Amino acid sequence: MKQSVTVNKTQELKLAGAAKAALSKFKVKSPKFDLKTFLRKVIVPLASILLFIGLWHIGAKALFNIEADYKIQKALTDQGQAAANAMAACIASGDISCQPNTLPSPAQVWESFNTLIADHKVISADKLAFKEKTAALNEKRISEGKDPITYTGRPSFVDQIFTSLKTVFAGFLLAFFIAVPIGIIIGLSDTLRNAFNWLIQVFKPVSPVVWLLLVFMIVKTMTKDSNSDSAFIISFISVGLCAMWATLVNTAMGVSSVDKDYINVAKVLKLGPLQKVFKVILPSSLPLIFTGLRITLSVAWMVLIAIELLAQSPGLGSFVWEEFQNGANDSNSKIIVAMFIIGIIGFLLDRIMLTIQNMVSFNKNATA
Amino acid sequence: METETITIKDNHVNGISFPSDRIMLDLKDLKKVYPTPKGDYVVLEHLNLQILKEEFVTIIGHSGCGKTTMLSMIAGLNPISGGDIAVLGNPIQGPGPDRGVIFQAPSLMPWMTALQNVLLGVNRVFPHASKAQRKDIAKYYLHKVGLDGAFDKKANELSQGMQQRVGIARAFAIKPKVLLLDEPFGMLDSLTRGELQDILIEIWNKEKITAVMITHDVDEAIFLADRVVMMTSGPRAKIGDVLPIKFERPRTRKSVLEHEDYYKYRKHLIDFLEH
Ligand SMILES: Nc1ncnc2c1ncn2[C@@H]1O[C@H](COP(=O)(O)OP(=O)(O)O)[C@@H](O)[C@H]1O
Ligand SMILES: [Mg+2]
């Protein structure tokens, strides 16, 4: 217990450091030290983080106790007092064979995080060694026109993160290249907008799972005799299709609701259709297009986890699912680690999009 | 002065026409009907107005009488319900850069710089000029409206008054035959408004582009105009009266205010508006 407390402390300190770093970003306007702002922007968020970890710790402990009591009680009724005592001793000793399986404490999660990082280091070293070992051989194979030998070992947690990012990025690009052009076209024409409105309204609320199944039906057939990575293709297409609607709707709305004054200016100057679109309509709808893209990216990241999980394609989703099925003693804490990582990455992606959105937005006061 | 030959009477409403070679803009029996849920609303009917080359005409009338409607019809942005509008004898076909517009709101593209906003029009109207020449034209007019330091400022970083200066530069830079202004200074404070009136009249003195300007400010109407056109109240509004302003040009605000006829003109307009 004592050990876990110290671990807890360092974790809090680290979190505090991260929070401070994150918060210092917001403090651009007044470089002068101001106690009130400091209190509001640093101390209060920090306190809320500590409170969160504290409550989590207490809650986890309570759940742990319930689970432990139940285990001891079960040993007592099944095998008698001696077994119950042994179980109690075993639990107290921290032996992994008899630990209650419940919500992990903050300390356990931190430990799992470190384990995952260590695991990643081992696997990376392995990979590097493999690469060096096969470098000469692969060169020869390539010159002979054969496929090089690739590393097929277990991916580390960090590898899974990058796989997920790759998938979400591919899905996002797909959404971008479908939704923006179509949004522009239907935004320009009232007739087309009315014609396609029902389609958008019907498909927008369809669950990611259904999209996945639909894409699966099509891609499975289309990739029948190619050895491409169909799990990746299926998941990124599904992600793209799920996530593109916000961009489609926002782009169409932005394009169709350009300020009448700008349109009048374009009319008076008799701008050609292309110039009108590229010099007036698109720039003026960029803020809305980016609002759509931002929603698209966050939706893409959110559904990605579920889709990876179902499509059995590698990534954070399948990591979570495998850990859940695995049921090892630290599986639960690894799942929680994944949860935080997913959340933090989602937050960062959103921040990036927000930054870009503010950069392209000409109406800075509205979004600041 | 050509206006000296025109008396208030002989140019009244559907009166005598000017010689056709002096007419820039001719509104003949113009009519505008807006369909509304409660039936058609006739805003303008039997509206006749001739505006001469190199003339500055201001238009006053009660709010809602159809001034904007008339101006946007001349600009080609609003369809004509009856009668016709001709520029140099040719009926207009939709909007075009021969009729520059300065809107009430500056309507600059906020994502473009001041220079880019002016260039947008210049590039359209002088496609055969070199890039440098077009830039020079845009810069010349921005200089004329006193925006030397603000070429590369984004439009949305400029104050309302500065934005409207860009609007003026943009309108003059495309060298239109007719300049249409719809209460361009209505949203500005009186100090800025005076500055912009001076700038406008200074450029206009040089370029002598036929101008039609709506205003609700009687003093502004007198200061700028060769003739002040008064519109009757709607519905079925038409030209009620025309008042030639016989001050010499170039004018200064001081000389106009001190002129013995100033209060006579002012009274005439206010009497019209109060009836
Ligand atoms: N698009 C429209 N549809 C119906 N009625 C309109 C429309 N635009 C203007 N009107 C009406 O026409 C009248 C004249 O409007 P407007 O030309 O803007 O007047 P002004 O510029 O003189 O204040 C007003 O009563 C206004 O309500
Ligand atoms: Mg108006």
Side-chain angles (χ1 to χ4, degrees), chain A residues 125-138:
Chain A
D126 238 31
K127 242 192 216 167
L128 200 67
F130 176 84
K131 218 170 158 188
E132 274 167 14
K133 224 165 56 190
T134 54
L137 181 64
N138 272 344

Side-chain angles (χ1 to χ4, degrees), chain B residues 65-78:
Chain B
C65 74
K67 303 181 295 292
T68 298
T69 302
M70 183 184 92
L71 203 79
S72 62
M73 283 162 84
I74 302 174
L77 295 167
N78 201 343

